[in-house]
Amino acid sequence: MTSASGQALSPNVERALGSISTIVQFALIFAIIIAILELWVVVLGLGLTGGFTGVFPMGVFPGVFPMLVFLIIDVLVIRHTSKIHSAANNGDIAALKSLNSLGYAIVALIFTGFIPGILLLIAYGWIYDLPSPQV
């Protein structure tokens, strides 16, 4: 495998990139599942489904608006995680290093859930340990 700059990668770096790609892919899958569940709660809470209009007798479920905020943040985390996954698959260490953010991992932990957050925290450490690309 070669890096985005065309340099050959060592076997250790190739294995690390494969591991990063895999763990970020799992984080992405779990984040998407959580976002779908949040979307479902928002749809139910707003009474947008014909069969469930009586689920929340007080009208609009009071938890809809915070859940909508969580959903928006989840979409941003999914987008960022997708970029990390793409950079790992392409062997672009420079892009991985620039996308690596402890802040996004903590936001994912708080808003997206325990599993994606922990996986992104693990990936953060692995990306941090990658050797810097040669210029």
Side-chain angles (χ1 to χ4, degrees), residues 24-57:
V24 170
Q25 184 174 17
F26 278 117
L28 192 57
I29 290 168
F30 279 104
I32 290 170
I33 290 170
I34 296 296
I36 290 170
L37 291 174
E38 289 171 352
L39 180 62
W40 182 70
V41 169
V42 168
V43 167
L44 281 179
L46 292 175
L48 298 178
T49 57
F52 294 105
T53 53
V55 171
F56 303 110

Side-chain angles (χ1 to χ4, degrees), residues 33-111:
I33 290 170
I34 296 296
I36 290 170
L37 291 174
E38 289 171 352
L39 180 62
W40 182 70
V41 169
V42 168
V43 167
L44 281 179
L46 292 175
L48 298 178
T49 57
F52 294 105
T53 53
V55 171
F56 303 110
M58 299 182 319
V60 175
F61 179 57
V64 167
F65 299 110
M67 191 61 66
L68 193 56
V69 170
F70 273 56
L71 180 61
I72 291 168
I73 294 170
D74 285 348
V75 169
L76 295 174
V77 168
I78 288 168
R79 185 170 158 243
H80 187 80
T81 306
S82 177
K83 289 180 183 179
I84 294 171
H85 182 258
S86 177
N89 280 342
N90 294 333
D92 193 352
I93 296 174
L96 271 175
K97 293 260 186 197
S98 70
L99 291 169
N100 198 24
S101 170
L102 185 59
Y104 262 100
I106 292 172
V107 166
L109 186 63
I110 294 169
F111 291 97

